[in-house]
Amino acid sequence: MKHALEAPSAASPEVPVVAVDPVAAVQALRPLARLGGMFALLRPRQWLKGVLVLMAPLVASPEAAVTQVVPLLGTLLAFLAASSAVYIFNDLRDRERDRLHPVKRNRPLASGLVSTSAALTLLFLLLAGTAALLMLLPILVGVIVAGYLAINLWYCLALKHQPLVDVSVVSVGFVLRVLAGTIAVGIAVQPALLIGVYCACLALSLGKRRHELAALSAAGGEAGDHRPALRSYSVPFLDQVVLVNLVAALVGYVAFIWAQTPPYGPVTAGLTFPFAAFAVHRYLQMIAMGGSGGDPVEDLFRDRAMVVNVGLWAAVLAQAMLTSFWHPW
């Protein structure tokens, strides 16, 4: 019985064991890793910022957003490509400095996952794609996108090291997104919206500087080792200017919504103000007590209270927009 059990069965031939070379397996995965690194260079998580292109048309004139959807989406794609090109250029410039940072050293260029030549090729393709899109869009939209690229080029080369100028330039980039979306569909420029967006983005940029400064202080590092502009900031100063800009952003938001067609505008402003105020309060709580602020996009998605609040806020705005679109007052 023992021999019978041990004897191989003719119906079940032995399966040969194939040895796996771990070195070869790693080498086989490297092309996939490089492809993932190329995609990471585009900073896809930051594409959420492109929503600002759609903001004015969707809120102020939903019918224009529908009838002019092609130039609006073209403007959105142009800004997504242009912003990704800026990120790649910045990473190329800072790859040596990023290698000294505990988090940024894992970026594709700083870690060596993506070569400089591959990054330059991707940068060229993005700029070429942006130029091709702009040929199909209104001339003024092209001027705005070109201005966005020029300002950010200057930022990467010099302005990023100038205190207050650095965050102001970043905030202007978001205002240009809103302005381009407005012009793409041919509606009137909304000054209150531009002011509100500028102040909100300025507050978020300053909150990011606060997070970096607080993290450096906690780790015993010197401010300015990675970002020289931090030498001119302090946590108490940043707390004050963040608060001032958030209040200004809140006022700008209410003024923008209120200015829409009565009674749609005033009613919507009243209904959505609690959500806007909660977002301000929650963000201040997160940066002051939760150590957040390093990445506003990540903070938005990982904080459950903020996600629920933004979702309800968007739902109320969407309902108001649909009511205005189908039943104009």
Side-chain angles (χ1 to χ4, degrees):
M1 178 65 71
K2 182 178 179 181
H3 293 292
L5 290 174
E6 291 179 349
S9 172
S12 303
E14 293 184 355
V15 178
V17 178
V18 179
V20 177
D21 183 357
V23 176
V26 171
Q27 291 176 345
L29 290 174
R30 285 195 66 83
L32 293 176
R34 291 193 191 98
L35 186 61
M38 295 284 282
F39 184 68
L41 270 181
L42 302 176
R43 306 276 183 91
R45 289 193 308 169
Q46 305 298 328
W47 290 345
L48 181 64
K49 298 172 182 177
V51 172
L52 290 172
V53 173
L54 312 176
M55 180 179 290
L58 288 178
V59 177
S61 183
E63 63 278 8
V66 173
T67 58
Q68 301 295 324
V69 64
V70 173
L72 184 60
L73 292 181
T75 302
L76 173 62
L77 291 175
F79 261 103
L80 293 181
S83 62
S84 290
V86 169
Y87 285 128
I88 293 175
F89 181 80
N90 184 70
D91 286 355
L92 283 166
R93 288 273 304 174
D94 287 354
R95 61 187 183 279
E96 297 298 334
R97 190 189 297 268
D98 286 346
R99 291 189 179 110
L100 305 177
H101 192 276
V103 176
K104 295 180 180 180
R105 65 185 181 187
N106 296 317
R107 288 177 174 176
L109 278 167
S111 65
L113 182 60
V114 175
S115 66
T116 300
S117 59
L120 287 171
T121 301
L122 184 57
L123 175 60
F124 173 78
L125 291 175
L126 286 170
L127 292 176
T130 303
L133 282 169
L134 294 182
M135 294 178 65
L136 307 175
L137 297 173
I139 295 177
L140 192 52
V141 172
V143 171
I144 293 172
V145 175
Y148 170 85
L149 286 170
I151 290 173
N152 278 277
L153 174 63
W154 194 7
Y155 172 86
C156 294
L157 294 176
L159 297 182
K160 66 188 298 181
H161 302 308
Q162 304 300 318
L164 294 182
V165 176
D166 58 340
V167 291
S168 298
V169 171
V170 172
S171 302
V172 167
F174 291 106
V175 173
L176 291 178
R177 287 176 170 90
V178 178
L179 188 59
T182 301
I183 294 172
V185 298
I187 62 176
V189 175
Q190 306 280 336
L193 176 61
L194 300 183
I195 293 171
V197 168
Y198 176 80
C199 291
C201 294
L202 190 57
L204 295 176
S205 297
L206 290 165
K208 184 175 181 179
R209 300 296 184 269
R210 185 197 185 280
H211 174 81
E212 294 174 347
L213 195 58
L216 279 172
S217 299
E222 291 292 331
D225 287 347
H226 180 74
R227 193 188 293 273
L230 289 179
R231 296 190 183 98
S232 299
Y233 293 133
S234 70
V235 171
F237 166 73
L238 291 172
D239 283 338
Q240 294 181 49
V241 290
V242 167
L243 178 59
V244 167
N245 280 282
L246 285 177
V247 171
L250 193 57
V251 172
Y253 167 77
V254 173
F256 164 62
I257 298 297
W258 195 286
Q260 305 311 309
T261 307
Y264 154 68
V267 170
T268 305
L271 290 175
T272 58
F273 178 79
F275 301 111
F278 180 86
V280 169
H281 301 154
R282 181 59 178 165
Y283 179 72
L284 288 171
Q285 184 183 44
M286 289 169 65
I287 64 172
M289 303 177 64
S292 299
D295 187 338
V297 175
E298 183 179 341
D299 291 339
L300 173 65
F301 282 107
R302 72 179 178 86
D303 185 73
R304 184 175 300 177
M306 189 70 85
V307 170
V308 172
N309 179 68
V310 171
L312 293 173
W313 187 1
V316 175
L317 271 177
Q319 180 62 42
M321 288 186 296
L322 289 174
T323 301
S324 175
F325 181 71
W326 295 111
H327 302 285
W329 300 99

